[in-house]
Amino acid sequence: MKTAIFAHRGSKSNRPENTLSAFEEAMHVGSDGIELDVHLTKDQEVVVMHDEKVNRTTNAKGQIKSFTVNDLKELDAGSWFSPQFRGERVPTLKEVLDLLSDFPGVLNVEFKTDHNVYPGIEEKVVRLIDLYRSNLPVVYSSFNHESLIRMKHIDPSADVALLLWERLADPWRYTEQVGASAQHLWEASALTETSAQLQEHGIKVRAWTVNKPKNMQRTFEMGIDAMITDYPEVALDLRKSFEEAKALRR
Ligand code: G3P
Ligand code: MG
């Protein structure tokens, strides 16, 4: 089994995160998966951004939930990263789904419900995916595990993954209790014996955010199911070399 490469917030290292440019680049380099973060606007539109506030990644200030989608669309979500990306907009989830119409990989939607509640966000996301890309494999993750439990109530077949910083004791028990198929574990927690324990119990492990080549290599050696990285192109190149070296040893 090859370690899958998921592009974190798109190709975050060389494009403004969570924008259509970042997702285009992630697809262009051949990422196996794309991770993005979702919030709700004041008028209940699902939009893609990491922080609760627009301050860091746009030219304005304030909470996403206090902007209407039209107001949010006025903002520049690219200049903060580089003048080359001036005019890049904050995407709605629908726009991302349109962009991913031919994407053969997996979409990882992270519900950013750990600071703001966003009532109903889970249903809205499911409805959008059903409407615009119903055949797209989706993994739902969140640090707010209640969001994942809500997802399982909405759609018992939904693929959900616990986002965690820390390793748990008997980690498979809690994972099974929530109905999750995977743990998305902070890199330092994933690069331990916990990953093999989870995998022995049929639970997948995806490590985040793996950016150092040394740790990418370790992730391949350990047979971790996937890594979420800001550098998908680097990770894909390294994986190619790793797989070629492995084939030669056979
Ligand atoms: O889903 C992995 C990773 O994105 C979790 O942290 O803060 O980058 O959303 P964050
Ligand atoms: Mg995230």
Side-chain angles (χ1 to χ4, degrees):
M1 182 220 68
K2 279 191 208 168
T3 299
I5 311 292
F6 283 28
H8 184 228
R9 309 182 201 170
S11 185
K12 178 178 178 291
S13 57
N14 54 4
R15 296 291 185 278
E17 64 183 57
N18 279 327
T19 62
L20 296 184
S21 290
F23 303 130
E24 248 164 26
E25 174 68 6
M27 285 194 284
H28 171 72
V29 299
S31 307
D32 304 303
I34 291 177
E35 189 263 2
L36 54 77
D37 308 288
V38 292
H39 301 256
L40 283 185
T41 60
K42 186 177 175 181
D43 50 350
Q44 305 295 295
E45 188 79 37
V46 182
V47 291
V48 179
M49 192 181 280
H50 179 268
D51 303 356
E52 284 70 26
K53 288 182 176 174
V54 302
N55 303 29
R56 182 178 59 88
T57 57
T58 75
N59 56 339
K61 284 194 167 71
Q63 293 269 345
I64 296 172
K65 65 179 182 185
S66 64
F67 283 81
T68 62
V69 68
N70 285 343
D71 290 344
L72 209 56
K73 281 287 175 195
E74 296 292 315
L75 310 186
D76 178 342
S79 293
W80 70 276
F81 185 79
S82 152
Q84 193 192 334
F85 295 101
R86 189 161 63 90
E88 189 79 47
R89 299 292 156 200
V90 176
T92 61
L93 181 61
K94 179 190 174 306
E95 288 167 334
V96 177
L97 293 171
D98 283 344
L99 181 77
L100 303 190
S101 61
D102 295 322
F103 178 52
V106 177
L107 177 65
N108 175 196
V109 176
E110 180 186 342
F111 294 114
K112 280 289 181 206
T113 46
D114 38 335
H115 294 287
N116 291 334
V117 186
Y118 302 131
I121 190 170
E122 299 86 3
E123 286 90 341
K124 285 182 195 303
V125 167
V126 169
R127 208 175 316 131
L128 285 167
I129 290 170
D130 277 355
L131 261 175
Y132 298 107
R133 221 12 257 278
S134 59
N135 59 343
L136 179 68
V138 181
V139 176
Y140 300 97
S141 62
S142 186
F143 287 106
N144 178 353
H145 301 168
E146 285 174 359
S147 254
L148 303 178
I149 292 168
R150 270 197 292 279
M151 261 313 300
K152 293 299 280 188
H153 281 138
I154 297 164
D155 176 6
S157 69
D159 194 356
V160 309
L162 299 172
L163 256 171
L164 290 163
W165 283 95
E166 302 292 341
R167 300 157 64 191
L168 304 175
D170 297 344
W172 56 91
R173 290 194 207 282
Y174 177 63
T175 311
E176 285 162 3
Q177 193 187 322
V178 173
S181 67
Q183 284 199 2
H184 290 188
L185 266 179
W186 180 46
E187 173 185 68
S189 299
L191 296 177
T192 67
E193 65 279 9
T194 289
S195 290
Q197 287 171 355
L198 283 163
Q199 289 173 320
E200 275 162 26
H201 285 80
I203 295 161
K204 288 192 165 69
V205 179
R206 302 188 184 98
W208 54 273
T209 305
V210 185
N211 286 340
K212 292 190 182 121
K214 190 170 125 255
N215 289 348
M216 290 177 178
Q217 190 70 18
R218 189 79 194 107
T219 307
F220 300 138
E221 286 162 5
M222 288 175 66
I224 289 180
D225 298 274
M227 74 170 78
I228 301 171
T229 177
D230 298 343
Y231 296 84
E233 192 174 11
V234 172
L236 286 156
D237 280 350
L238 276 180
R239 183 178 70 182
K240 189 162 176 274
S241 309
F242 175 80
E243 293 293 333
E244 283 167 1
K246 197 164 85 179
L248 283 177
R249 286 197 302 272
R250 278 200 199 111

